[in-house]
């Protein structure tokens, strides 16, 4: 199982902001995977678990099989995201290596993405709290 966490802030005032790109990516992934009919349905279909909204399903793996994936949108506000992520990892007994965190990064131009397996939080408070909760970068 893999855990994909989209960071953002709950509340209408944050909808559509760059800070909520993690929520948008997770919802779009759920729609593209056929788990919800549209990204807007994520919040209605997902279950309230781990102080967030969680939805799971299976995706095709590169090896030809399937892989179970849990999508998580922490509802703790960005600065306390670590509680939600740590609770999900602990419940499913997953190592940090099975975690992907999607978040905004002011160091990147809007529309650009970067994938990396580790490194510093770069000052991002949501990522910093996850690192604190998990004890790893």
């Amino acid at each position: 199982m893999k855990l994909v966490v989209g960071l953002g802030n709950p509340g209408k005032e944050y909808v559509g902001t760059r800070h909520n790109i993690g929520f948008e990516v997770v919802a779009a992934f759920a729609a593209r995977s056929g788990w919800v009919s549209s990204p807007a349905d994520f919040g209605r279909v997902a279950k309230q678990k781990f102080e967030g909204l969680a939805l799971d399903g299976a995706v095709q793996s590169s090896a030809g099989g399937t892989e179970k994936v849990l999508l998580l949108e922490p509802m703790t506000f960005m600065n306390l995201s670590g509680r939600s992520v740590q609770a999900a990892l602990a419940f499913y007994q997953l190592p940090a290596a099975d975690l992907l965190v999607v978040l905004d990064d002011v160091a990147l131009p809007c529309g650009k993405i970067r994938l990396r397996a580790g490194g510093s939080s770069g000052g991002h408070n949501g990522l910093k709290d996850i690192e604190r909760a998990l004890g790893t970068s």
Side-chain angles (χ1 to χ4, degrees):
M1 173 181 257
K2 304 296 183 195
L3 173 60
V4 179
V5 178
L7 296 187
N9 281 319
K12 290 182 181 181
E13 64 270 29
Y14 299 104
V15 173
T17 66
R18 180 178 176 152
H19 211 44
N20 272 22
I21 193 67
F23 284 3
E24 292 181 29
V25 168
V26 164
F29 182 89
R32 291 187 102 184
S33 298
W35 305 349
V36 296
S37 57
S38 76
D41 289 333
F42 185 89
R44 290 188 283 278
V45 175
K47 294 183 169 79
Q48 291 190 359
K49 294 174 85 172
F50 314 118
E51 294 188 70
L53 297 176
L55 183 64
D56 63 24
V59 296
Q60 289 295 122
S61 74
S62 58
T66 60
E67 177 82 40
K68 190 165 185 172
V69 175
L70 175 68
L71 303 176
L72 178 64
E73 292 182 353
M75 293 289 118
T76 56
F77 284 92
M78 188 74 70
N79 298 354
L80 299 174
S81 299
R83 294 190 329 218
S84 180
V85 174
Q86 194 280 330
L89 286 174
F91 181 84
Y92 289 105
Q93 299 178 349
L94 297 174
D98 288 336
L99 169 67
L100 173 67
V101 181
V102 181
L103 55 116
D104 67 313
D105 186 340
V106 297
L108 295 176
C110 196
K112 295 289 184 180
I113 65 168
R114 173 177 57 197
L115 298 174
R116 60 186 178 138
S120 76
S121 66
H124 191 283
N125 289 331
L127 195 52
K128 195 182 305 183
D129 193 61
I130 292 170
E131 289 178 347
R132 180 204 51 76
L134 303 183
T136 184
S137 63

